[in-house]
Amino acid sequence: MSQSVTKTNLPRDSRLHSYIRPDDFLDCYQVESALTAGDAAEVIVAFPGWAKALVALRGILVAPFGLMNDGPGESDKLGPFPVEHTSDREVIAGFNDKHLDFRVSVYSASGHVSLATWVHPHNIGGRAYLTAILPFHIVIARNALARVARADGLAGVA
């Protein structure tokens, strides 16, 4: 099984399509994996130490601006994000904050898992925040999918 992560289009029947408006940010990466969307999502939010450190740093830096460090207090969460939709093929999680709305989609079909991120900035602060975190987002997303591919490879090992 290949662990090669590639940039791709959002799967055609992803529910994330219903969120997209002009000028929104959307990216999607994909890797070969037979994991279900739910199993892949659990691997994705099991962040390695370096990613946890970046998230903690982000929390410190945005605290003075009143941005959320964790999603709303929902009981059904994927990592820090409230789960909005779950099916065999797709898990969507995320929330709306004062500077932007965002959702992540973990989609599994045809031997591939996709990780898509949609962001709708509300103002210049949201656009500036997105620009600042984008390089880190790309590294974290690609790392997450590489871990999904490795986890899938281990699933068949007894």
Side-chain angles (χ1 to χ4, degrees):
M1 171 157 315
S2 170
Q3 290 185 15
S4 178
V5 177
T6 58
K7 190 165 176 79
T8 189
N9 293 321
L10 181 65
R12 187 177 63 244
D13 55 348
S14 168
R15 285 183 174 224
L16 206 56
H17 283 285
S18 66
Y19 292 88
I20 302 169
R21 295 176 270 189
D23 298 323
D24 286 352
F25 171 82
L26 176 71
D27 71 357
C28 187
Y29 295 92
Q30 174 179 277
V31 71
E32 287 182 36
S33 174
L35 291 180
T36 66
D39 289 344
E42 291 298 327
V43 171
I44 287 167
V45 297
F47 298 118
W50 61 266
K52 288 179 185 176
L54 285 174
V55 171
L57 178 61
R58 175 243 178 239
I60 293 166
L61 294 174
V62 302
F65 302 102
L67 304 182
M68 286 191 226
N69 284 324
D70 199 0
E74 314 288 325
S75 60
D76 187 13
K77 284 192 169 185
L78 178 63
F81 312 129
V83 174
E84 196 167 284
H85 168 77
T86 303
S87 70
D88 291 340
R89 286 189 162 204
E90 187 170 32
V91 175
I92 295 178
F95 58 91
N96 300 341
D97 205 346
K98 67 182 192 180
H99 66 310
L100 56 77
D101 302 341
F102 83 96
R103 299 295 185 280
V104 294
S105 164
V106 179
Y107 188 94
S108 177
S110 305
H112 291 90
V113 168
S114 300
L115 173 60
T117 304
W118 164 82
V119 179
H120 175 74
H122 293 287
N123 50 41
I124 194 166
R127 287 187 291 281
Y129 174 81
L130 179 60
T131 300
I133 67 153
L134 196 54
F136 305 102
H137 159 77
I138 293 167
V139 171
I140 289 171
R142 294 180 65 87
N143 172 270
L145 283 177
R147 289 185 288 107
V148 165
R150 286 193 300 272
D152 184 39
L154 297 174
V157 178

